[in-house]
């Protein structure tokens, strides 16, 4: 290979990297712009709350089954694994604390957000993408109705409301799953299970922080799902790619944000 | 009152360095049915989007009721759009709403009318397109022709001054085509509106249009009443109106030498 062709290849690779970087940056800007537009166009959602309530049903209520069943299994696994470790140190009664803290502080918000992105996020992206592909959003624009105010904002607020409620329910059912394994199955004392949990789980540091995390994840997952749908090329391939991107981007955003939030919340 | 409700003045529009329209002039007088015709990809639908203010021209202007569309702010454009109704090519009905709710949608968004009045108006609009009995159905339960008629009822929900039709006859069976054709003319005259039809269906469009513009190569290639255009000797108009395979619009897309292409190994 001559030096010139090597140089040409190098330039091409650099150009590709540059193009991808600029593209990502552009998408980040466009996403931020949609977020801002959604916030300033939210008046309609508050004036007509049924628009939001309807979406809470689709994003929140219909996600209940997957969230609650997963929570129960996660709680049971935590109970088994926790007991297995704690009994080596003779502190198997602390199983209640372990299950509750793990769920309330981390697993509740994070796993709920990941499941929410997979269940509700993909549904939102596909719906908005198809509305765009079938010119429904254009039709709305031509009727002098803003799609951001009428379609995007109600779904955004529905996601932001649903996520913390789902996360709290996840933690509750997870604790119940842990209890089922630890108390009736293994034989840990029920009184110790609950009293240690009550004594060691802090309202402000554990529960409120967990809820704050789930609100942030709710904002992130919902706006990512909405942006991907709104920005999707109006073709079958475009919508399918957007749906995949919703899951990937939301999951990475949730895990990244979790680290950032945890680092602010934990005092060493 | 301005005589021409829509005026397109020396309009140029294009993207990615390619001009789709190169100085187009058109007028749409009040009360008339005016058609814009031309081959696929000639930018007919784009003209409707320019009239509706969904995109901005590179040069020239579109005036609706005397106001330059691209100079309006968001509120101004929405104000102008309230004077317009648009029928999209595939209806663009809201799939999560019933036929009734689709037609009621613009009324609920823009008026404070009581539910009883909305109900009467919706049923009247659906009756006008012959689908009062289908008001409980969902869009997925409608045939293509029915969906187009519901979309038409929705487009005229607020009695617009301008009704725009994007390929209203595309993909319809002959009966539905006849029904839509008849409805466009009847509704235009009954509402005293102005209709702009974008289409490439010569027979149906010529039946109802008062005036026709032919768009080709980014300019108005010909214009006149359907009668004038039927007997036009202009090569492009003749080829288009009579559906001839070859003419100024060639059958073959521009390509290199046929023999050489066949001899080459790579695709």
């Amino acid at each position: 290979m001559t030096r010139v062709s090597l140089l040409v290849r190098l330039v091409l690779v650099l150009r590709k990297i540059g193009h991808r970087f600029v593209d990502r940056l552009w998408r980040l800007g466009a996403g931020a712009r949609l977020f801002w537009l959604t916030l300033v166009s939210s008046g309609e959602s508050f004036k007509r709350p049924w628009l939001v309530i309807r979406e809470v049903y689709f994003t929140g209520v219909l996600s209940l089954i997957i969230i609650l069943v997963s929570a129960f299994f996660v709680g049971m696994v935590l109970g088994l694994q926790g007991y297995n470790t704690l009994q080596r140190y003779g502190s198997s009664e602390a199983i209640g604390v372990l299950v509750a803290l793990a769920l309330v502080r981390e697993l509740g918000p994070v796993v709920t957000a990941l499941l929410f992105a997979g269940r509700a996020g993909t549904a939102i992206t596909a719906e908005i993408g198809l509305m765009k592909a079938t010119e429904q959003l254009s039709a709305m624009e031509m009727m002098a109705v803003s799609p951001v105010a009428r379609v995007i904002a109600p779904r955004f607020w529905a996601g932001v409301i649903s996520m913390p409620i789902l996360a709290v329910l996840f933690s509750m059912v997870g604790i119940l799953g842990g209890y089922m394994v630890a108390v009736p199955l293994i034989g840990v004392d029920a009184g110790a299970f609950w009293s240690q949990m009550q004594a060691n789980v802090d309202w402000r540091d554990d529960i409120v922080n967990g809820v704050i995390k789930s609100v942030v994840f709710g904002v992130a997952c919902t706006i990512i799902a909405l942006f991907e749908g709104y920005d999707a090329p109006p073709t079958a391939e475009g919508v399918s790619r957007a749906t995949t991107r919703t899951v990937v981007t939301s999951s990475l955003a949730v895990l990244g944000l979790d680290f950032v939030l945890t680092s602010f919340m934990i005092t060493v | 009152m301005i005589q021409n409700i829509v005026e397109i003045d020396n309009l140029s529009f294009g993207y990615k360095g390619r001009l789709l329209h190169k100085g187009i002039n058109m007028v749409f007088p009040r009360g008339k049915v005016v058609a814009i015709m031309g081959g696929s990809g000639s930018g007919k639908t784009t003209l409707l989007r320019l009239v509706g203010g969904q995109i901005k021209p590179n040069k020239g202007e579109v005036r609706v009721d005397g106001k330059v569309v691209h100079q309006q702010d968001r509120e101004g454009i929405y104000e102008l759009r309230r004077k317009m109704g648009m029928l999209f090519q595939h209806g663009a009905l809201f799939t999560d709403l019933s036929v009734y709710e689709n037609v009621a949608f613009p009324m609920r968004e823009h008026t404070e009318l009581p539910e009883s009045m909305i109900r009467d108006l919706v049923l009247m609009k659906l009756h006008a397109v012959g689908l009062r009995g289908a008001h409980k159905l969902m869009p997925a339960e409608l045939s293509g022709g029915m969906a187009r008629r519901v979309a038409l009822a929705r487009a005229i929900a607020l009695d617009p001054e301008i009704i725009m039709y994007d390929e209203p006859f595309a993909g319809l069976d002959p009966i539905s085509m006849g029904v839509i054709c008849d409805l466009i003319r009847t509704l235009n005259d009954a509402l005293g509106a102005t209709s702009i039809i974008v289409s490439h269906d010569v027979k149906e469009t010529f039946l109802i249009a008062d005036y026709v513009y032919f768009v080709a190569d980014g300019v108005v290639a010909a214009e006149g009443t359907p009668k004038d255009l039927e007997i036009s000797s202009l090569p492009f108009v003749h080829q288009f109106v009579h559906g001839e395979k070859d003419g100024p619009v060639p059958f073959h897309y521009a390509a290199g030498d046929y023999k050489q292409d066949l001899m080459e190994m790579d695709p």
Side-chain angles (χ1 to χ4, degrees):
Chain A
M1 197 183 288
T2 62
R3 275 177 84 171
V4 175
S5 69
L6 196 71
L7 204 67
V8 168
R9 279 197 169 201
L10 194 71
V11 168
L12 282 175
V13 170
L14 281 175
R15 190 185 288 174
K16 217 171 185 177
I17 293 170
H19 178 74
R20 283 201 167 196
F21 177 74
V22 170
D23 184 58
R24 295 289 183 282
L25 207 63
W26 185 90
R27 288 177 64 78
L28 195 68
R33 186 174 172 271
L34 181 72
F35 183 41
W36 171 248
L37 270 178
T38 305
L39 292 181
V40 296
S41 309
S42 294
E44 196 78 4
S45 302
F46 299 120
K47 264 192 274 173
R48 295 156 73 182
W50 64 267
L51 285 176
V52 180
I53 292 167
R54 185 176 175 275
E55 297 308 325
V56 167
Y57 172 77
F58 287 115
T59 51
V61 178
L62 294 184
S63 303
L64 269 177
I65 292 285
I66 186 172
I67 299 279
L68 298 186
V69 172
S70 308
F72 197 69
F73 282 113
V74 168
M76 287 201 294
V77 170
L78 268 179
L80 282 174
Q81 294 282 15
Y83 179 79
N84 189 32
T85 311
L86 290 172
Q87 56 126 10
R88 290 182 209 170
Y89 306 101
S91 52
S92 53
E93 279 78 19
I95 183 74
V97 189
L98 185 136
V99 169
L101 285 182
L103 281 165
V104 170
R105 291 167 76 137
E106 285 300 332
L107 292 175
V110 173
V111 179
T112 306
L114 296 177
L115 292 171
F116 183 83
R119 162 63 186 79
T122 50
I124 291 172
T125 303
E127 189 189 15
I128 307 277
L130 283 173
M131 283 182 88
K132 191 179 171 191
T134 53
E135 294 185 307
Q136 292 179 49
L137 298 183
S138 278
M140 218 172 258
E141 273 276 350
M142 282 305 294
M143 280 184 241
V145 175
S146 160
V148 176
R150 184 63 175 69
V151 176
I152 304 289
R155 282 163 178 78
F156 172 74
W157 288 110
V160 175
I161 293 167
S162 301
M163 250 302 290
I165 298 173
L166 289 171
V168 168
L169 287 173
F170 187 99
S171 297
M172 285 165 65
V173 174
I175 290 169
L176 196 70
Y179 172 84
M180 294 301 280
V181 165
V183 180
L185 200 71
I186 298 173
V188 174
D189 181 59
F193 183 93
W194 294 117
S195 62
Q196 288 221 16
M197 190 191 298
Q198 202 177 359
N200 290 295
V201 176
D202 187 74
W203 165 253
R204 174 68 192 80
D205 285 345
D206 301 322
I207 297 174
V208 173
N209 277 351
V211 172
I212 290 171
K213 275 186 181 181
S214 62
V215 173
V216 176
F217 297 161
V219 171
C221 288
T222 318
I223 202 68
I224 287 169
L226 288 165
F227 172 68
E228 290 295 353
Y230 201 61
D231 189 55
T235 58
E237 195 200 4
V239 175
S240 87
R241 276 174 184 241
T243 313
T244 310
R245 268 204 308 269
T246 291
V247 179
V248 175
T249 317
S250 300
S251 306
L252 291 175
V254 164
L255 296 170
L257 281 170
D258 186 44
F259 172 72
V260 175
L261 289 171
T262 308
S263 62
F264 276 107
M265 287 166 179
I266 282 189
T267 42
V268 183
Chain B
M1 190 189 279
I2 301 159
Q3 198 206 336
N4 298 319
I5 190 156
V6 179
E7 290 171 325
I8 297 177
D9 194 6
N10 195 28
L11 179 121
S12 293
F13 174 78
Y15 43 85
K16 289 182 183 169
R18 183 182 159 242
L19 271 185
L20 196 58
H21 304 123
K22 304 163 193 162
I24 282 190
N25 293 293
M26 292 178 181
V27 291
F28 301 87
R30 284 176 196 275
K32 301 287 182 193
V33 175
V34 181
I36 302 170
M37 304 195 77
S40 302
S42 58
K44 306 185 298 291
T45 303
T46 311
L47 278 174
L48 289 188
R49 295 183 67 198
L50 284 156
V51 173
Q54 287 188 305
I55 43 178
K56 287 184 178 180
N58 298 16
K59 232 170 75 184
E61 58 189 37
V62 178
R63 288 187 295 275
V64 173
D65 213 7
K67 289 180 181 157
V68 178
V69 176
H70 74 267
Q71 287 174 358
Q72 305 297 312
D73 58 8
R74 196 171 177 78
E75 280 306 307
I77 283 189
Y78 274 17
E79 195 62 44
L80 287 179
R81 284 184 190 159
R82 284 192 197 117
K83 296 179 184 179
M84 305 174 192
M86 181 154 174
L87 178 71
F88 283 82
Q89 191 170 354
H90 299 290
L93 292 176
F94 303 129
T95 41
D96 57 334
L97 300 180
S98 67
V99 165
Y100 179 94
E101 285 301 328
N102 261 284
V103 182
F105 185 87
M107 300 176 197
R108 292 198 201 285
E109 294 296 321
H110 293 305
T111 68
E112 302 281 324
L113 293 172
E115 191 55 37
S116 60
M117 195 172 282
I118 287 182
R119 184 184 152 77
D120 289 351
L121 284 170
V122 170
L123 293 180
M124 280 161 70
K125 300 294 174 190
L126 283 172
H127 188 75
V129 298
L131 289 176
R132 185 167 44 85
H135 73 274
K136 283 183 184 159
L137 298 181
M138 293 302 284
E141 298 172 275
L142 304 173
S143 68
M146 285 165 85
R148 212 74 63 92
R149 280 150 73 188
V150 173
L152 182 50
R154 186 180 66 180
I156 58 164
L158 295 174
D159 295 341
E161 292 175 49
I162 307 159
I163 313 174
M164 297 191 279
Y165 299 88
D166 185 11
E167 301 287 4
F169 313 115
L172 293 183
D173 63 75
I175 301 172
S176 304
M177 217 184 250
V179 169
I180 293 283
C181 201
D182 189 48
L183 277 172
I184 293 175
R185 185 76 242 186
T186 319
L187 288 172
N188 186 76
D189 297 344
L191 295 170
T194 306
S195 296
I196 305 174
I197 306 174
V198 154
S199 177
H200 48 226
D201 292 286
V202 177
K203 196 180 130 209
E204 288 71 26
T205 309
F206 276 22
L207 263 179
I208 52 170
D210 295 308
Y211 202 80
V212 179
Y213 288 101
F214 267 104
V215 181
D217 295 327
V219 294
V220 175
E223 61 181 285
T225 62
K227 264 189 184 167
D228 296 338
L229 293 169
E230 253 170 16
I231 53 168
S232 169
S233 56
L234 283 168
F236 170 73
V237 178
H238 193 270
Q239 184 191 3
F240 199 92
V241 171
H242 297 93
E244 287 160 357
K245 190 182 90 172
D246 228 336
V249 181
F251 171 69
H252 288 289
Y253 189 79
D257 184 56
Y258 187 31
K259 209 174 184 179
Q260 201 171 341
D261 271 0
L262 290 175
M263 297 297 285
E264 270 177 20
M265 296 297 284
D266 294 329

